[in-house]
Amino acid sequence: MDNLTSQYKDVWVFAEQRHGVITPVVYELLGEGKKIAGETGSDLCALLIGKNVSSLADELIMYGADKVYVADDPLLENYTTDGYTKVFSDAISKYKPEIVLYGATHIGRDLAPRIAARVNTGLTADCTKLEVDPEDKKLKQTRPAFGGNLMATIICPDHRPQMSTVRPGVMEKAAKNETNRGTVIIVDLKLQAEDIRTRIINIIKSKKNIVSLTDADIIVSGGKGLGCPEGFNLIKQLADVLGGSVGASRAAVDAGWIDHSNQVGQTGTTVKPKIYIACGISGAIQHLAGMSQSDIIIAINKNPDAPIFSVADYGIVGDLNQVIPMLVEAFSEHRTQTA
Ligand code: FAD
């Protein structure tokens, strides 16, 4: 280990919070961070940033943090790139963590690259696996590359800290232990109002229906083959009659036909329902990555050579505009008879 890297120690987790509620991925980072800290013989620390957030420190300790650094200031009430970057970068320069983990949330994805540039280190974005090299104790950061066709393992040999954003829902959550004890350190801030170039005038929450696909037993998904946004009315009818949820391919989401929370696949949700019905979805590798573990896969596609048929248990070659109404009718009748 050279002089530079030997000055750095401890594993840090960005304890992202919104309106005083810790973001779920933080518990996953604490779970993973604890393992890494164990293997590198260091402490697990969390950095809390916000206004009146010190009361959250106890919770982080119960979930495994040995130390919680608290940066509390009225200027940090709402997330701003400038404010958080300054506070976080100053803390890194002062306390010198060896590893820093962020959730790959909207905030984490915005913040981590800024900090990487500010403190002159590397960042591996959207990691799905972290390991410590048993030989040299460096962090091995794995993430999908080349459109998900291969997994790349990346190291940061010459700069510190080693930093990753971690995809939510992949790592195991830390277990809560109310008897855990830890230290709370108040960070001495040098933040001025002029450091923040953005002024937040108002925050308006969008009223969208976020779907939960992870727990659904039946998912009916629609793709670009639906032809238009109204095609999702057909998908919804079939989902309703089966008591299922509506999923989508990225092409349908990118076209603006449906919300991203419905997207299944590598950059959407990974699902494992009892029944997955893919309608007008070609079966690109990135889509398959999110649904191929489903118990039963049914595909409806007018192209008999569509790759989706290679993973389907049942394939229906035909126009979905004809096939789906027939299925809705058949299942409705079945439901009436069994009621
Ligand atoms: P298309 O590929 O255009 O397929 C449409 C299908 O509909 C065709 O097979 C066609 O035969 C069929 N069809 C057309 N009309 C009808 C009809 N009337 N009746 C029946 N069938 C019909 N994709 C995802 O889904 N999820 C992801 O998370 C995701 N992440 C990605 C990440 C990266 C980094 C990249 C590069 C790509 C990602 N993609 C993802 C995109 C992916 O590569 C495909 O572009 C996308 O899945 C295609 O969507 P689709 O199957 O709906 O559209």
Side-chain angles (χ1 to χ4, degrees):
M1 197 182 281
D2 65 26
N3 260 348
L4 170 82
T5 57
S6 64
Q7 296 166 17
Y8 289 78
K9 62 178 174 56
D10 292 344
V11 177
W12 277 29
V13 162
F14 169 43
E16 181 181 334
Q17 57 80 32
R18 297 184 193 193
H19 307 292
V21 179
I22 292 172
T23 312
V25 68
V26 172
Y27 301 106
E28 297 164 19
L29 298 179
L30 288 169
E32 193 63 20
K34 197 78 187 171
K35 280 189 227 156
I36 296 170
E39 286 170 50
T40 51
S42 51
D43 281 341
L44 174 63
C45 309
L47 175 62
L48 251 178
I49 303 179
K51 179 187 165 192
N52 298 335
V53 287
S54 350
S55 57
L56 299 174
D58 287 346
E59 194 178 342
L60 295 166
I61 291 169
M62 282 191 257
Y63 280 92
D66 300 302
K67 292 181 208 156
V68 180
Y69 292 89
V70 181
D72 204 308
D73 192 288
L75 290 171
L76 298 168
E77 180 171 9
N78 292 308
Y79 173 76
T80 58
T81 312
D82 284 341
Y84 271 51
T85 302
K86 171 149 180 47
V87 167
F88 212 134
S89 308
D90 288 351
I92 287 176
S93 304
K94 179 166 180 189
Y95 297 105
K96 299 195 173 7
E98 194 184 8
I99 292 170
V100 183
L101 308 179
Y102 308 77
T105 60
H106 291 297
I107 288 181
R109 285 168 196 251
D110 180 66
L111 179 64
R114 298 290 186 123
I115 294 172
R118 191 74 62 93
V119 303
N120 192 29
T121 190
L123 171 72
T124 307
D126 213 18
C127 294
T128 52
K129 189 174 167 193
L130 297 172
E131 282 170 302
V132 174
D133 190 314
E135 303 268 302
D136 57 14
K137 304 289 176 205
K138 288 198 178 94
L139 187 65
K140 292 162 73 183
Q141 309 160 84
T142 302
R143 53 152 299 153
F146 295 104
N149 289 312
L150 58 85
M151 301 301 281
T153 298
I154 296 162
I155 55 164
C156 179
D158 302 325
H159 294 83
R160 288 294 176 271
Q162 303 164 87
M163 305 214 304
S164 326
T165 61
V166 176
R167 188 182 287 202
V170 178
M171 310 290 178
E172 222 170 289
K173 280 187 181 167
K176 185 174 182 178
N177 182 345
E178 296 189 1
T179 64
N180 282 354
R181 293 287 167 265
T183 315
V184 178
I185 298 150
I186 305 296
V187 178
D188 186 18
L189 296 175
K190 295 182 185 68
L191 187 68
Q192 310 286 332
E194 309 81 76
D195 293 325
I196 302 174
R197 290 167 295 177
T198 326
R199 199 154 55 90
I200 296 178
I201 294 163
N202 198 1
I203 296 177
I204 302 163
K205 287 199 174 169
S206 68
K207 285 196 195 127
K208 57 184 181 186
N209 292 325
I210 302 286
V211 292
S212 171
L213 292 173
T214 24
D215 303 328
D217 279 344
I218 299 178
I219 296 174
V220 185
S221 280
K224 205 67 195 291
L226 294 174
C228 60
E230 290 71 33
F232 273 99
N233 296 339
L234 268 182
I235 298 293
K236 187 153 183 345
Q237 280 174 32
L238 184 54
D240 283 349
V241 78
L242 293 171
S245 299
V246 172
S249 72
R250 175 160 155 180
V253 172
D254 286 350
W257 297 351
I258 191 155
D259 189 73
H260 178 260
S261 61
N262 296 80
Q263 185 179 314
V264 172
Q266 186 190 314
T267 43
T269 307
T270 301
V271 298
K272 196 182 173 305
K274 290 189 176 136
I275 303 176
Y276 187 87
I277 308 182
C279 310
I281 293 178
S282 56
I285 187 157
Q286 298 88 356
H287 189 81
L288 302 185
M291 46 65 73
S292 60
Q293 297 304 310
S294 306
D295 290 350
I296 295 175
I297 298 171
I298 302 169
I300 306 168
N301 199 301
K302 67 179 185 185
N303 174 7
D305 298 320
I308 191 76
F309 288 125
S310 67
V311 295
D313 299 283
Y314 300 96
I316 304 173
V317 178
D319 184 339
L320 59 86
N321 295 301
Q322 291 170 356
V323 176
I324 297 179
M326 287 160 75
L327 291 176
V328 172
E329 197 184 323
F331 288 124
S332 306
E333 275 174 19
H334 178 73
R335 218 159 64 162
T336 318
Q337 283 163 14
T338 51

PDB file of all heavy atoms in Angstrom, residues 161-193:
ATOM      1  N   PRO A 161     -11.269   8.162  -1.983  1.00  0.00           N
ATOM      2  CA  PRO A 161     -11.835   6.846  -1.682  1.00  0.00           C
ATOM      3  C   PRO A 161     -12.215   6.055  -2.949  1.00  0.00           C
ATOM      4  O   PRO A 161     -12.290   6.629  -4.032  1.00  0.00           O
ATOM      5  CB  PRO A 161     -13.100   7.198  -0.884  1.00  0.00           C
ATOM      6  CG  PRO A 161     -13.391   8.624  -1.142  1.00  0.00           C
ATOM      7  CD  PRO A 161     -12.156   9.285  -1.631  1.00  0.00           C
ATOM      8  N   GLN A 162     -12.460   4.763  -2.742  1.00  0.00           N
ATOM      9  CA  GLN A 162     -13.030   3.940  -3.798  1.00  0.00           C
ATOM     10  C   GLN A 162     -14.545   4.148  -3.679  1.00  0.00           C
ATOM     11  O   GLN A 162     -15.099   3.961  -2.595  1.00  0.00           O
ATOM     12  CB  GLN A 162     -12.684   2.476  -3.571  1.00  0.00           C
ATOM     13  CG  GLN A 162     -11.175   2.234  -3.474  1.00  0.00           C
ATOM     14  CD  GLN A 162     -10.861   0.879  -2.877  1.00  0.00           C
ATOM     15  OE1 GLN A 162     -10.793  -0.115  -3.579  1.00  0.00           O
ATOM     16  NE2 GLN A 162     -10.667   0.832  -1.566  1.00  0.00           N
ATOM     17  N   MET A 163     -15.203   4.561  -4.752  1.00  0.00           N
ATOM     18  CA  MET A 163     -16.614   4.940  -4.610  1.00  0.00           C
ATOM     19  C   MET A 163     -17.510   4.187  -5.601  1.00  0.00           C
ATOM     20  O   MET A 163     -17.165   4.008  -6.767  1.00  0.00           O
ATOM     21  CB  MET A 163     -16.772   6.444  -4.855  1.00  0.00           C
ATOM     22  CG  MET A 163     -15.889   7.308  -3.967  1.00  0.00           C
ATOM     23  SD  MET A 163     -16.658   8.872  -3.523  1.00  0.00           S
ATOM     24  CE  MET A 163     -17.027   9.561  -5.102  1.00  0.00           C
ATOM     25  N   SER A 164     -18.685   3.783  -5.103  1.00  0.00           N
ATOM     26  CA  SER A 164     -19.656   3.095  -5.960  1.00  0.00           C
ATOM     27  C   SER A 164     -21.048   3.622  -5.680  1.00  0.00           C
ATOM     28  O   SER A 164     -21.379   3.909  -4.527  1.00  0.00           O
ATOM     29  CB  SER A 164     -19.742   1.590  -5.639  1.00  0.00           C
ATOM     30  OG  SER A 164     -18.533   1.043  -5.250  1.00  0.00           O
ATOM     31  N   THR A 165     -21.880   3.699  -6.721  1.00  0.00           N
ATOM     32  CA  THR A 165     -23.322   3.765  -6.481  1.00  0.00           C
ATOM     33  C   THR A 165     -23.835   2.336  -6.652  1.00  0.00           C
ATOM     34  O   THR A 165     -23.328   1.574  -7.483  1.00  0.00           O
ATOM     35  CB  THR A 165     -24.065   4.719  -7.447  1.00  0.00           C
ATOM     36  OG1 THR A 165     -23.902   4.260  -8.784  1.00  0.00           O
ATOM     37  CG2 THR A 165     -23.566   6.147  -7.328  1.00  0.00           C
ATOM     38  N   VAL A 166     -24.809   1.972  -5.835  1.00  0.00           N
ATOM     39  CA  VAL A 166     -25.271   0.585  -5.788  1.00  0.00           C
ATOM     40  C   VAL A 166     -26.752   0.539  -6.145  1.00  0.00           C
ATOM     41  O   VAL A 166     -27.560   1.308  -5.604  1.00  0.00           O
ATOM     42  CB  VAL A 166     -25.045  -0.004  -4.377  1.00  0.00           C
ATOM     43  CG1 VAL A 166     -25.614  -1.416  -4.274  1.00  0.00           C
ATOM     44  CG2 VAL A 166     -23.567  -0.002  -4.038  1.00  0.00           C
ATOM     45  N   ARG A 167     -27.078  -0.359  -7.037  1.00  0.00           N
ATOM     46  CA  ARG A 167     -28.462  -0.456  -7.497  1.00  0.00           C
ATOM     47  C   ARG A 167     -29.389  -0.894  -6.357  1.00  0.00           C
ATOM     48  O   ARG A 167     -29.105  -1.901  -5.685  1.00  0.00           O
ATOM     49  CB  ARG A 167     -28.554  -1.480  -8.623  1.00  0.00           C
ATOM     50  CG  ARG A 167     -29.909  -1.498  -9.261  1.00  0.00           C
ATOM     51  CD  ARG A 167     -29.986  -2.532 -10.304  1.00  0.00           C
ATOM     52  NE  ARG A 167     -29.241  -2.142 -11.484  1.00  0.00           N
ATOM     53  CZ  ARG A 167     -29.480  -2.652 -12.687  1.00  0.00           C
ATOM     54  NH1 ARG A 167     -30.413  -3.551 -12.844  1.00  0.00           N
ATOM     55  NH2 ARG A 167     -28.772  -2.276 -13.715  1.00  0.00           N
ATOM     56  N   PRO A 168     -30.485  -0.169  -6.117  1.00  0.00           N
ATOM     57  CA  PRO A 168     -31.407  -0.565  -5.042  1.00  0.00           C
ATOM     58  C   PRO A 168     -32.018  -1.939  -5.308  1.00  0.00           C
ATOM     59  O   PRO A 168     -32.229  -2.327  -6.461  1.00  0.00           O
ATOM     60  CB  PRO A 168     -32.500   0.522  -5.085  1.00  0.00           C
ATOM     61  CG  PRO A 168     -31.871   1.682  -5.760  1.00  0.00           C
ATOM     62  CD  PRO A 168     -30.898   1.098  -6.756  1.00  0.00           C
ATOM     63  N   GLY A 169     -32.290  -2.675  -4.250  1.00  0.00           N
ATOM     64  CA  GLY A 169     -32.999  -3.952  -4.360  1.00  0.00           C
ATOM     65  C   GLY A 169     -32.094  -5.138  -4.636  1.00  0.00           C
ATOM     66  O   GLY A 169     -32.583  -6.257  -4.774  1.00  0.00           O
ATOM     67  N   VAL A 170     -30.795  -4.926  -4.730  1.00  0.00           N
ATOM     68  CA  VAL A 170     -29.898  -6.029  -5.084  1.00  0.00           C
ATOM     69  C   VAL A 170     -29.193  -6.602  -3.848  1.00  0.00           C
ATOM     70  O   VAL A 170     -29.076  -7.817  -3.694  1.00  0.00           O
ATOM     71  CB  VAL A 170     -28.848  -5.568  -6.126  1.00  0.00           C
ATOM     72  CG1 VAL A 170     -27.889  -6.693  -6.456  1.00  0.00           C
ATOM     73  CG2 VAL A 170     -29.514  -5.062  -7.383  1.00  0.00           C
ATOM     74  N   MET A 171     -28.726  -5.737  -2.956  1.00  0.00           N
ATOM     75  CA  MET A 171     -27.970  -6.203  -1.772  1.00  0.00           C
ATOM     76  C   MET A 171     -28.938  -6.541  -0.624  1.00  0.00           C
ATOM     77  O   MET A 171     -30.044  -6.014  -0.569  1.00  0.00           O
ATOM     78  CB  MET A 171     -27.006  -5.109  -1.288  1.00  0.00           C
ATOM     79  CG  MET A 171     -26.133  -4.502  -2.351  1.00  0.00           C
ATOM     80  SD  MET A 171     -24.899  -5.659  -2.919  1.00  0.00           S
ATOM     81  CE  MET A 171     -24.057  -4.739  -4.180  1.00  0.00           C
ATOM     82  N   GLU A 172     -28.433  -7.373   0.281  1.00  0.00           N
ATOM     83  CA  GLU A 172     -29.278  -7.761   1.422  1.00  0.00           C
ATOM     84  C   GLU A 172     -29.301  -6.652   2.477  1.00  0.00           C
ATOM     85  O   GLU A 172     -28.250  -6.063   2.776  1.00  0.00           O
ATOM     86  CB  GLU A 172     -28.682  -9.013   2.050  1.00  0.00           C
ATOM     87  CG  GLU A 172     -29.728 -10.015   2.428  1.00  0.00           C
ATOM     88  CD  GLU A 172     -29.056 -11.313   2.823  1.00  0.00           C
ATOM     89  OE1 GLU A 172     -28.524 -11.991   1.920  1.00  0.00           O
ATOM     90  OE2 GLU A 172     -29.026 -11.588   4.027  1.00  0.00           O
ATOM     91  N   LYS A 173     -30.496  -6.421   3.042  1.00  0.00           N
ATOM     92  CA  LYS A 173     -30.615  -5.364   4.065  1.00  0.00           C
ATOM     93  C   LYS A 173     -29.901  -5.757   5.343  1.00  0.00           C
ATOM     94  O   LYS A 173     -29.860  -6.941   5.698  1.00  0.00           O
ATOM     95  CB  LYS A 173     -32.090  -5.176   4.428  1.00  0.00           C
ATOM     96  CG  LYS A 173     -32.828  -4.346   3.443  1.00  0.00           C
ATOM     97  CD  LYS A 173     -34.217  -4.069   3.943  1.00  0.00           C
ATOM     98  CE  LYS A 173     -34.937  -3.244   2.898  1.00  0.00           C
ATOM     99  NZ  LYS A 173     -36.344  -3.149   3.084  1.00  0.00           N
ATOM    100  N   ALA A 174     -29.393  -4.753   6.065  1.00  0.00           N
ATOM    101  CA  ALA A 174     -28.782  -5.009   7.370  1.00  0.00           C
ATOM    102  C   ALA A 174     -29.883  -5.425   8.349  1.00  0.00           C
ATOM    103  O   ALA A 174     -31.028  -5.002   8.215  1.00  0.00           O
ATOM    104  CB  ALA A 174     -28.114  -3.731   7.869  1.00  0.00           C
ATOM    105  N   ALA A 175     -29.523  -6.242   9.334  1.00  0.00           N
ATOM    106  CA  ALA A 175     -30.493  -6.629  10.366  1.00  0.00           C
ATOM    107  C   ALA A 175     -30.463  -5.570  11.466  1.00  0.00           C
ATOM    108  O   ALA A 175     -29.412  -5.005  11.767  1.00  0.00           O
ATOM    109  CB  ALA A 175     -30.118  -7.991  10.923  1.00  0.00           C
ATOM    110  N   LYS A 176     -31.625  -5.320  12.070  1.00  0.00           N
ATOM    111  CA  LYS A 176     -31.702  -4.309  13.129  1.00  0.00           C
ATOM    112  C   LYS A 176     -31.347  -4.951  14.472  1.00  0.00           C
ATOM    113  O   LYS A 176     -31.805  -6.040  14.778  1.00  0.00           O
ATOM    114  CB  LYS A 176     -33.125  -3.767  13.177  1.00  0.00           C
ATOM    115  CG  LYS A 176     -33.313  -2.627  14.148  1.00  0.00           C
ATOM    116  CD  LYS A 176     -34.712  -2.070  13.995  1.00  0.00           C
ATOM    117  CE  LYS A 176     -34.918  -0.895  14.922  1.00  0.00           C
ATOM    118  NZ  LYS A 176     -36.239  -0.291  14.765  1.00  0.00           N
ATOM    119  N   ASN A 177     -30.523  -4.271  15.234  1.00  0.00           N
ATOM    120  CA  ASN A 177     -30.192  -4.758  16.569  1.00  0.00           C
ATOM    121  C   ASN A 177     -30.212  -3.564  17.527  1.00  0.00           C
ATOM    122  O   ASN A 177     -29.348  -2.692  17.454  1.00  0.00           O
ATOM    123  CB  ASN A 177     -28.806  -5.423  16.542  1.00  0.00           C
ATOM    124  CG  ASN A 177     -28.436  -5.995  17.895  1.00  0.00           C
ATOM    125  OD1 ASN A 177     -29.063  -5.677  18.912  1.00  0.00           O
ATOM    126  ND2 ASN A 177     -27.416  -6.831  17.924  1.00  0.00           N
ATOM    127  N   GLU A 178     -31.223  -3.561  18.390  1.00  0.00           N
ATOM    128  CA  GLU A 178     -31.414  -2.378  19.245  1.00  0.00           C
ATOM    129  C   GLU A 178     -30.334  -2.224  20.306  1.00  0.00           C
ATOM    130  O   GLU A 178     -30.231  -1.183  20.940  1.00  0.00           O
ATOM    131  CB  GLU A 178     -32.802  -2.430  19.882  1.00  0.00           C
ATOM    132  CG  GLU A 178     -33.858  -2.343  18.792  1.00  0.00           C
ATOM    133  CD  GLU A 178     -35.266  -2.173  19.281  1.00  0.00           C
ATOM    134  OE1 GLU A 178     -35.456  -2.101  20.497  1.00  0.00           O
ATOM    135  OE2 GLU A 178     -36.158  -2.103  18.418  1.00  0.00           O
ATOM    136  N   THR A 179     -29.538  -3.267  20.499  1.00  0.00           N
ATOM    137  CA  THR A 179     -28.480  -3.167  21.521  1.00  0.00           C
ATOM    138  C   THR A 179     -27.170  -2.618  20.935  1.00  0.00           C
ATOM    139  O   THR A 179     -26.213  -2.391  21.676  1.00  0.00           O
ATOM    140  CB  THR A 179     -28.210  -4.537  22.177  1.00  0.00           C
ATOM    141  OG1 THR A 179     -27.714  -5.408  21.162  1.00  0.00           O
ATOM    142  CG2 THR A 179     -29.457  -5.135  22.800  1.00  0.00           C
ATOM    143  N   ASN A 180     -27.122  -2.415  19.620  1.00  0.00           N
ATOM    144  CA  ASN A 180     -25.884  -1.868  19.008  1.00  0.00           C
ATOM    145  C   ASN A 180     -25.536  -0.511  19.610  1.00  0.00           C
ATOM    146  O   ASN A 180     -26.433   0.282  19.903  1.00  0.00           O
ATOM    147  CB  ASN A 180     -26.081  -1.635  17.501  1.00  0.00           C
ATOM    148  CG  ASN A 180     -25.997  -2.923  16.708  1.00  0.00           C
ATOM    149  OD1 ASN A 180     -25.676  -3.972  17.251  1.00  0.00           O
ATOM    150  ND2 ASN A 180     -26.300  -2.845  15.420  1.00  0.00           N
ATOM    151  N   ARG A 181     -24.271  -0.264  19.758  1.00  0.00           N
ATOM    152  CA  ARG A 181     -23.813   1.042  20.245  1.00  0.00           C
ATOM    153  C   ARG A 181     -22.870   1.661  19.210  1.00  0.00           C
ATOM    154  O   ARG A 181     -22.134   0.945  18.526  1.00  0.00           O
ATOM    155  CB  ARG A 181     -23.053   0.894  21.580  1.00  0.00           C
ATOM    156  CG  ARG A 181     -23.921   0.457  22.731  1.00  0.00           C
ATOM    157  CD  ARG A 181     -24.850   1.595  23.213  1.00  0.00           C
ATOM    158  NE  ARG A 181     -25.889   1.105  24.104  1.00  0.00           N
ATOM    159  CZ  ARG A 181     -27.120   0.755  23.734  1.00  0.00           C
ATOM    160  NH1 ARG A 181     -27.488   0.847  22.474  1.00  0.00           N
ATOM    161  NH2 ARG A 181     -28.001   0.322  24.606  1.00  0.00           N
ATOM    162  N   GLY A 182     -22.907   2.982  19.097  1.00  0.00           N
ATOM    163  CA  GLY A 182     -22.027   3.655  18.129  1.00  0.00           C
ATOM    164  C   GLY A 182     -21.744   5.078  18.562  1.00  0.00           C
ATOM    165  O   GLY A 182     -22.238   5.541  19.586  1.00  0.00           O
ATOM    166  N   THR A 183     -20.941   5.775  17.774  1.00  0.00           N
ATOM    167  CA  THR A 183     -20.539   7.148  18.100  1.00  0.00           C
ATOM    168  C   THR A 183     -21.171   8.110  17.103  1.00  0.00           C
ATOM    169  O   THR A 183     -21.208   7.813  15.904  1.00  0.00           O
ATOM    170  CB  THR A 183     -18.998   7.271  17.948  1.00  0.00           C
ATOM    171  OG1 THR A 183     -18.409   6.133  18.558  1.00  0.00           O
ATOM    172  CG2 THR A 183     -18.468   8.532  18.561  1.00  0.00           C
ATOM    173  N   VAL A 184     -21.629   9.246  17.606  1.00  0.00           N
ATOM    174  CA  VAL A 184     -22.166  10.273  16.714  1.00  0.00           C
ATOM    175  C   VAL A 184     -21.165  11.427  16.664  1.00  0.00           C
ATOM    176  O   VAL A 184     -20.728  11.925  17.707  1.00  0.00           O
ATOM    177  CB  VAL A 184     -23.547  10.768  17.198  1.00  0.00           C
ATOM    178  CG1 VAL A 184     -24.063  11.884  16.276  1.00  0.00           C
ATOM    179  CG2 VAL A 184     -24.543   9.614  17.241  1.00  0.00           C
ATOM    180  N   ILE A 185     -20.776  11.820  15.462  1.00  0.00           N
ATOM    181  CA  ILE A 185     -19.779  12.889  15.289  1.00  0.00           C
ATOM    182  C   ILE A 185     -20.449  14.033  14.526  1.00  0.00           C
ATOM    183  O   ILE A 185     -20.960  13.825  13.416  1.00  0.00           O
ATOM    184  CB  ILE A 185     -18.552  12.368  14.501  1.00  0.00           C
ATOM    185  CG1 ILE A 185     -17.902  11.236  15.311  1.00  0.00           C
ATOM    186  CG2 ILE A 185     -17.552  13.485  14.192  1.00  0.00           C
ATOM    187  CD1 ILE A 185     -17.229  10.207  14.472  1.00  0.00           C
ATOM    188  N   ILE A 186     -20.468  15.198  15.129  1.00  0.00           N
ATOM    189  CA  ILE A 186     -21.071  16.355  14.449  1.00  0.00           C
ATOM    190  C   ILE A 186     -20.016  16.970  13.526  1.00  0.00           C
ATOM    191  O   ILE A 186     -18.916  17.312  13.964  1.00  0.00           O
ATOM    192  CB  ILE A 186     -21.565  17.413  15.481  1.00  0.00           C
ATOM    193  CG1 ILE A 186     -22.520  16.772  16.495  1.00  0.00           C
ATOM    194  CG2 ILE A 186     -22.211  18.610  14.776  1.00  0.00           C
ATOM    195  CD1 ILE A 186     -23.816  16.232  15.919  1.00  0.00           C
ATOM    196  N   VAL A 187     -20.369  17.060  12.247  1.00  0.00           N
ATOM    197  CA  VAL A 187     -19.412  17.578  11.268  1.00  0.00           C
ATOM    198  C   VAL A 187     -19.416  19.108  11.330  1.00  0.00           C
ATOM    199  O   VAL A 187     -20.475  19.743  11.308  1.00  0.00           O
ATOM    200  CB  VAL A 187     -19.790  17.100   9.838  1.00  0.00           C
ATOM    201  CG1 VAL A 187     -18.833  17.667   8.798  1.00  0.00           C
ATOM    202  CG2 VAL A 187     -19.818  15.581   9.782  1.00  0.00           C
ATOM    203  N   ASP A 188     -18.218  19.661  11.408  1.00  0.00           N
ATOM    204  CA  ASP A 188     -18.064  21.112  11.462  1.00  0.00           C
ATOM    205  C   ASP A 188     -18.210  21.646  10.028  1.00  0.00           C
ATOM    206  O   ASP A 188     -17.375  21.358   9.164  1.00  0.00           O
ATOM    207  CB  ASP A 188     -16.657  21.394  12.029  1.00  0.00           C
ATOM    208  CG  ASP A 188     -16.452  22.850  12.272  1.00  0.00           C
ATOM    209  OD1 ASP A 188     -17.452  23.577  12.338  1.00  0.00           O
ATOM    210  OD2 ASP A 188     -15.269  23.266  12.386  1.00  0.00           O
ATOM    211  N   LEU A 189     -19.285  22.391   9.778  1.00  0.00           N
ATOM    212  CA  LEU A 189     -19.585  22.795   8.396  1.00  0.00           C
ATOM    213  C   LEU A 189     -19.048  24.181   8.076  1.00  0.00           C
ATOM    214  O   LEU A 189     -19.076  25.074   8.920  1.00  0.00           O
ATOM    215  CB  LEU A 189     -21.098  22.803   8.188  1.00  0.00           C
ATOM    216  CG  LEU A 189     -21.791  21.455   8.308  1.00  0.00           C
ATOM    217  CD1 LEU A 189     -23.292  21.640   8.204  1.00  0.00           C
ATOM    218  CD2 LEU A 189     -21.317  20.513   7.224  1.00  0.00           C
ATOM    219  N   LYS A 190     -18.617  24.298   6.807  1.00  0.00           N
ATOM    220  CA  LYS A 190     -18.181  25.629   6.347  1.00  0.00           C
ATOM    221  C   LYS A 190     -19.063  26.013   5.163  1.00  0.00           C
ATOM    222  O   LYS A 190     -18.591  26.418   4.115  1.00  0.00           O
ATOM    223  CB  LYS A 190     -16.715  25.580   5.910  1.00  0.00           C
ATOM    224  CG  LYS A 190     -15.773  25.286   7.048  1.00  0.00           C
ATOM    225  CD  LYS A 190     -14.328  25.307   6.576  1.00  0.00           C
ATOM    226  CE  LYS A 190     -13.387  24.895   7.685  1.00  0.00           C
ATOM    227  NZ  LYS A 190     -13.528  23.463   8.055  1.00  0.00           N
ATOM    228  N   LEU A 191     -20.364  25.841   5.342  1.00  0.00           N
ATOM    229  CA  LEU A 191     -21.277  26.078   4.227  1.00  0.00           C
ATOM    230  C   LEU A 191     -21.898  27.470   4.331  1.00  0.00           C
ATOM    231  O   LEU A 191     -22.387  27.860   5.389  1.00  0.00           O
ATOM    232  CB  LEU A 191     -22.381  25.002   4.269  1.00  0.00           C
ATOM    233  CG  LEU A 191     -23.349  24.970   3.113  1.00  0.00           C
ATOM    234  CD1 LEU A 191     -22.665  24.533   1.821  1.00  0.00           C
ATOM    235  CD2 LEU A 191     -24.501  24.005   3.424  1.00  0.00           C
ATOM    236  N   GLN A 192     -21.846  28.202   3.222  1.00  0.00           N
ATOM    237  CA  GLN A 192     -22.456  29.539   3.168  1.00  0.00           C
ATOM    238  C   GLN A 192     -23.597  29.498   2.151  1.00  0.00           C
ATOM    239  O   GLN A 192     -23.540  28.706   1.205  1.00  0.00           O
ATOM    240  CB  GLN A 192     -21.437  30.571   2.629  1.00  0.00           C
ATOM    241  CG  GLN A 192     -20.092  30.579   3.285  1.00  0.00           C
ATOM    242  CD  GLN A 192     -20.148  31.209   4.662  1.00  0.00           C
ATOM    243  OE1 GLN A 192     -20.995  32.049   4.917  1.00  0.00           O
ATOM    244  NE2 GLN A 192     -19.280  30.776   5.552  1.00  0.00           N
ATOM    245  N   ALA A 193     -24.564  30.404   2.315  1.00  0.00           N
ATOM    246  CA  ALA A 193     -25.687  30.449   1.363  1.00  0.00           C
ATOM    247  C   ALA A 193     -25.168  30.630  -0.075  1.00  0.00           C
ATOM    248  O   ALA A 193     -25.704  30.045  -1.020  1.00  0.00           O
ATOM    249  CB  ALA A 193     -26.633  31.585   1.727  1.00  0.00           C
TER     250      ALA A 193
END
